[in-house]
Amino acid sequence: MEPFTCFTAIAIPMDQDNIDTDQILPARHLMMPRDERYGGYVFKDLRLDQNGNEIESFILNQEGFRPSRIIVAGHNFGCGSSREGAVFTLVDAGFRAIIATSFGDIFYNNSFNNGLLPVVLPEETVQRLRQQLHDGPGAEVTVDLESQTVTGPDQSVYPFEIDAHRRNRLLKGLDAVGYTLQYEENITTFEEDYGDKAPWEMSATLR
Amino acid sequence: MAQPRSLFEKIWERHSITTNEAGQTLLFIDRHFCHELSFHAFNMLHGNDRKVRHPERTFAIPDHYTPTTGLDDADYVDGDTQALVQNLINNAKRNKLNLFGLDDERRGIIHVVGPEQGITQPGTIIVCGDSHTSTHGALGALAFGIGASDVSHVLATQTLWQPKPKSMRVTVSGKRSIGVTAKDVILAIIGHIGAAGGTGHVIEYAGPVIESLSVDERLTICNMSIEAGARAGMIAPDEETYSYLRDRPFAPQGAEWEKAESFWRSLPSDSDAEFDREVTLDAASIEPMVTWGTSPEDVLPVGGRIPDPALETDTKRQDILNRKMDYMGLTPGQQISDIKVDRVFIGSCTNSRIEDLRDAASILKNRTISIPAIIVPGSGLIRAQAEQEGLDKIFEAAGVDWRPAAGCSMCIGVNGDFVNNGERCASTSNRNFEGRQGRGARTHLVSPAMAAATAVTGHFTDVRDMEQN
Ligand code: SF4
């Protein structure tokens, strides 16, 4: 996984709330193996019509916004299904950070496993950022994980909160399983004790 | 005195292996379910040369891509989907997982099969690479969906790191009126708290109305917790739960049952347990519900009217409403009961259990449908039960397409059962997102009884106006 430290890129404002994972990656593309093809499917049905032509009104198709690598959304971004493909497609299309007032819980979790940084900022800030991006298409935003700050197009700086465990993993690009295996002894001890306390739990699935 | 604890906290603490310096907890996972889309996780596992730590705790069940007309080669929509199903079976065999394969009568939708087999038990932690894993909370488990990387983590370690979610209690007070089902109750709850209302929270459903529900109905409630944005939904175990579980194939037996049951009885939230958020809803205010928009929170009683964007003062809100209206092909102020429907789907992990099928049959008996309708049982065993009760005869006499093979079907539309572009579907599933049932599909979420009534009349119809047979 690619580490995330500080990232500056053109940002795109997406005003809708509740952008669900079916919008990010339609269900009919879920069976693709994990390879570079995912990038071409991002927001597929919002971006392209049935004949594969670009839908002009969709913001990612508009001049100035095409090269964006950061999304500034509304609330509940990534709600819906658990599909990690929604994160694969965003990452493969070049996105490294999403700024929103809230995220779907599973999407939020999945992001950290793929080097995508979801940033929660207050409503007022997010609205202000989106307005500035609408006003000046192509404007850049910086997301700095080390200092835990977002810098807007007008150079205003906004601090954000993030759980230290996830921050650490992203900064170092750590593999989750490798990290957990350092706790192997704790897991084994737990399992032995658990079997004593709840024997039905250890045997129930073995029939 | 020990600190009062909620059901959620009791399960959380019991499964906590350790906590790291950042405050995340390493949780032990009791049960794990896999379906065809778990292939990413198996690839990650095998790619890193890792083994499944506890194969006996993982259950593999193909459900998303399996056809419903039968399970012959010709029933599959194409070779790719069949290969995906086979891939799950191969991964299950290679890793020695529990497998309910294609010729197994127990096979069906994971979230239907788990409870039905007694794999889902109170006090356990259950995960699956599927957001509707929240369903299993109906039996007093902590159950939640995870992504592919986390699935591979569970396969390799039987654990997961999690920050502790917040807790929320939704109390449904009063009494349900006749014709109001569990589906209507959960749709009303989502309408009330919103599609992001439960974000970051585990919801415990409580109160007299919840206690009065059967396990089948409780499963419908917990299933849709994720549509309120919640991490999980749960209901305290009680006599109803124990009598449901007793003698199920994977439930503890004999002396083990006694020990398990006495432990389960210690699980319900202490009377003075505190929740981060409390919400109360009066059941008397709940009617048969219909969603009209593209988020489950866009829900109205069947007697309602489509909102008028022009009455919105906030322009952003106005744009959102216009977009939904446009996608759904509705006009402002339109009466819900005037909306003409093209097809009906009864099935999915929300509403494909035996009680759901009986509800639908009570409306369809001695009537004929006026628009195409399919009914897909949630598992092979439910199909057998329904046929034993003669429900299949009622469905067929009414003109319904009763499908012989269980699966997700038109809920997600990837196995060949989908809603055509621009078509309007009354569906008992759980998501009305744009394109969820097929590109351009217009989904309205309803209960099985409401779906059956709609199939008869061809437009949304208040089930209370129709005599049940
Ligand atoms: S029935 Fe629908 S919601 Fe349930 S598991 Fe299958 S696809 Fe998901």
Side-chain angles (χ1 to χ4, degrees):
Chain A
M1 193 175 78
E2 206 182 322
F4 190 114
T5 45
C6 181
F7 187 68
T8 301
I10 294 177
I12 191 175
M14 290 185 82
D15 296 334
Q16 302 98 299
D17 291 327
N18 300 320
I19 294 180
D20 58 71
T21 53
D22 278 87
Q23 310 314 305
I24 303 170
L25 179 70
R28 54 184 196 284
H29 304 302
L30 290 180
M31 50 191 290
M32 293 185 298
R34 180 77 184 97
D35 61 23
E36 294 314 307
R37 286 190 298 144
Y38 268 85
Y41 292 85
V42 74
F43 301 118
K44 174 107 181 289
D45 291 350
L46 297 175
R47 209 160 42 80
L48 303 175
D49 69 16
Q50 289 224 294
N51 305 318
N53 299 319
E54 287 192 353
I55 298 169
E56 251 176 72
S57 58
F58 185 58
I59 191 150
L60 201 50
N61 290 335
Q62 293 166 10
E63 270 338 299
F65 290 121
R66 282 180 197 273
S68 357
R69 296 284 176 266
I70 293 173
I71 296 173
V72 184
H75 80 248
N76 209 18
F77 185 91
C79 62
S81 86
S82 63
R83 66 190 66 163
E84 200 155 314
V87 178
F88 298 160
T89 189
L90 285 164
V91 170
D92 286 2
F95 292 100
R96 292 299 314 274
I98 318 277
I99 299 167
T101 57
S102 65
F103 291 89
D105 284 330
I106 311 178
F107 177 89
Y108 188 81
N109 254 318
N110 290 344
S111 298
F112 290 97
N113 285 322
N114 294 277
L116 178 70
L117 175 59
V119 177
V120 177
L121 285 177
E123 169 105 42
E124 209 189 4
T125 312
V126 173
Q127 264 178 21
R128 193 158 149 213
L129 285 171
R130 285 204 312 263
Q131 196 52 54
Q132 289 173 5
L133 295 170
H134 278 300
D135 293 346
E140 289 190 334
V141 167
T142 296
V143 180
D144 188 337
L145 182 57
E146 266 170 336
S147 65
Q148 294 183 218
T149 54
V150 167
T151 307
D154 64 350
Q155 300 309 309
S156 306
V157 178
Y158 312 97
F160 63 86
E161 297 280 322
I162 190 163
D163 152 320
H165 174 64
R166 286 164 163 154
R167 174 172 178 269
N168 214 7
R169 271 190 49 211
L170 262 193
L171 283 173
K172 300 192 180 133
L174 271 188
D175 165 61
V177 176
Y179 171 78
T180 303
L181 289 176
Q182 298 169 19
Y183 291 85
E184 168 105 51
E185 236 184 81
N186 301 59
I187 300 173
T188 307
T189 311
F190 176 93
E191 286 172 349
E192 284 164 8
D193 180 49
Y194 195 56
D196 292 343
K197 276 197 307 207
W200 71 90
E201 248 317 313
M202 294 314 276
S203 61
T205 57
L206 291 171
R207 62 184 93 247
Chain B
M1 268 288 282
Q3 186 79 2
R5 293 180 304 162
S6 66
L7 166 63
F8 157 67
E9 286 169 315
K10 291 178 193 183
I11 300 178
W12 181 271
E13 284 169 22
R14 185 179 161 81
H15 291 80
S16 156
I17 297 168
T18 185
T19 302
N20 68 10
E21 61 295 341
Q24 288 223 354
T25 300
L26 186 64
L27 292 173
F28 185 70
I29 306 299
D30 295 294
R31 309 272 193 278
H32 169 228
F33 292 101
C34 291
H35 55 80
E36 299 94 310
L37 293 172
S38 308
F39 72 90
H40 287 298
F42 285 107
N43 291 347
M44 293 174 190
L45 184 85
H46 299 148
N48 286 308
D49 254 338
R50 289 185 173 126
K51 286 206 164 49
V52 179
R53 183 175 175 95
H54 282 293
E56 78 284 3
R57 292 182 174 276
T58 291
F59 293 77
I61 314 177
D63 58 2
H64 281 63
Y65 290 85
T66 52
T68 54
T69 45
L71 292 168
D72 292 334
D73 292 355
D75 290 306
Y76 286 87
V77 59
D78 57 28
D80 289 349
T81 58
Q82 189 170 10
L84 203 63
V85 170
Q86 196 51 50
N87 184 31
L88 173 69
I89 293 170
N90 296 346
N91 276 324
K93 289 187 173 155
R94 168 174 176 182
N95 293 292
K96 303 199 164 51
L97 312 177
N98 297 285
L99 169 68
F100 296 172
L102 292 171
D103 48 9
D104 193 326
E105 215 192 6
R106 301 172 300 175
R107 191 193 63 82
I109 306 169
I110 284 177
H111 312 310
V112 173
V113 174
E116 184 172 81
Q117 288 296 314
I119 299 165
T120 304
Q121 291 168 21
T124 53
I125 294 190
I126 300 175
V127 299
C128 169
D130 192 287
S131 59
H132 293 99
T133 308
S134 61
T135 314
H136 305 262
L139 289 147
L142 174 61
F144 52 91
I146 54 179
S149 300
D150 283 350
V151 168
S152 98
H153 188 277
V154 170
L155 287 168
T157 67
Q158 204 58 39
T159 65
L160 263 187
W161 290 99
Q162 292 281 299
K164 193 171 178 185
K166 294 202 181 97
S167 65
M168 172 169 175
R169 179 159 58 189
V170 174
T171 304
V172 187
S173 62
K175 215 171 156 246
R176 247 193 314 165
S177 22
I178 291 169
V180 174
T181 68
K183 181 65 161 283
D184 304 307
V185 172
I186 187 62
L187 283 173
I189 291 173
I190 297 164
H192 186 72
I193 66 175
T199 303
H201 290 73
V202 168
I203 297 180
E204 179 174 342
Y205 302 96
V209 170
I210 300 297
E211 287 162 22
S212 74
L213 299 176
S214 69
V215 169
D216 276 10
E217 292 174 310
R218 293 177 188 187
L219 290 160
T220 301
I221 300 271
C222 288
N223 175 269
M224 291 193 72
S225 305
I226 182 73
E227 307 318 328
R231 195 80 187 94
M234 57 206 314
I235 294 173
D238 60 10
E239 301 310 321
E240 187 71 24
T241 318
Y242 312 137
S243 71
Y244 174 93
L245 274 176
R246 204 178 256 284
D247 298 327
R248 301 243 165 208
F250 286 83
Q253 314 283 338
E256 281 196 346
W257 170 275
E258 302 305 325
K259 280 190 214 149
E261 192 190 311
S262 79
F263 161 64
W264 295 342
R265 287 183 185 279
S266 72
L267 288 170
S269 295
D270 300 333
S271 56
D272 44 357
E274 282 183 25
F275 292 81
D276 294 306
R277 217 182 134 196
E278 295 259 15
V279 173
T280 302
L281 219 74
D282 182 3
S285 67
I286 305 177
E287 295 181 61
M289 308 295 273
V290 179
T291 67
W292 60 268
T294 52
S295 162
E297 69 185 15
D298 305 330
V299 66
L300 285 167
V302 58
R305 282 174 185 280
I306 302 299
D308 185 351
L311 300 177
E312 277 290 337
T313 44
D314 177 16
T315 53
K316 185 185 158 205
R317 180 82 199 129
Q318 214 172 47
D319 288 350
I320 293 171
L321 281 182
N322 278 325
R323 188 187 153 84
K324 287 178 194 268
M325 216 70 92
D326 191 42
Y327 181 84
M328 292 300 289
L330 298 168
T331 42
Q334 193 175 2
Q335 194 89 42
I336 297 251
S337 54
D338 286 344
I339 301 173
K340 289 227 162 21
V341 176
D342 300 305
R343 65 173 62 245
V344 168
F345 169 59
I346 298 178
S348 88
C349 55
T350 318
N351 285 124
S352 63
R353 286 169 286 270
I354 192 69
E355 290 180 11
D356 300 315
L357 303 188
R358 288 182 193 139
D359 270 6
S362 75
I363 297 290
L364 292 168
K365 192 168 182 186
N366 301 328
R367 292 196 172 97
T368 47
I369 57 172
S370 62
I371 51 174
I374 70 168
I375 303 185
V376 185
S379 73
L381 292 173
I382 290 170
R383 173 205 172 189
Q385 170 84 26
E387 294 185 353
Q388 203 196 337
E389 294 179 19
L391 304 184
D392 58 324
K393 295 282 176 305
I394 296 173
F395 298 149
E396 276 158 11
V400 171
D401 186 357
W402 165 246
R403 294 293 170 90
C408 297
S409 181
M410 212 177 273
C411 170
I412 184 161
V414 293
N415 75 331
D417 305 333
F418 60 88
V419 177
N420 294 315
N421 197 2
E423 262 188 0
R424 189 180 301 289
C425 180
S427 176
T428 66
S429 54
N430 44 45
R431 287 206 169 123
N432 53 353
F433 298 164
E434 283 183 30
R436 168 72 179 187
Q437 293 188 290
R439 185 166 188 163
R442 294 165 170 165
T443 303
H444 297 264
L445 305 175
V446 289
S447 72
M450 285 287 292
T454 304
V456 171
T457 61
H459 56 86
F460 290 111
T461 303
D462 192 335
V463 67
R464 293 170 298 186
D465 297 339
M466 268 176 129
E467 202 181 321
Q468 305 206 5
N469 297 305

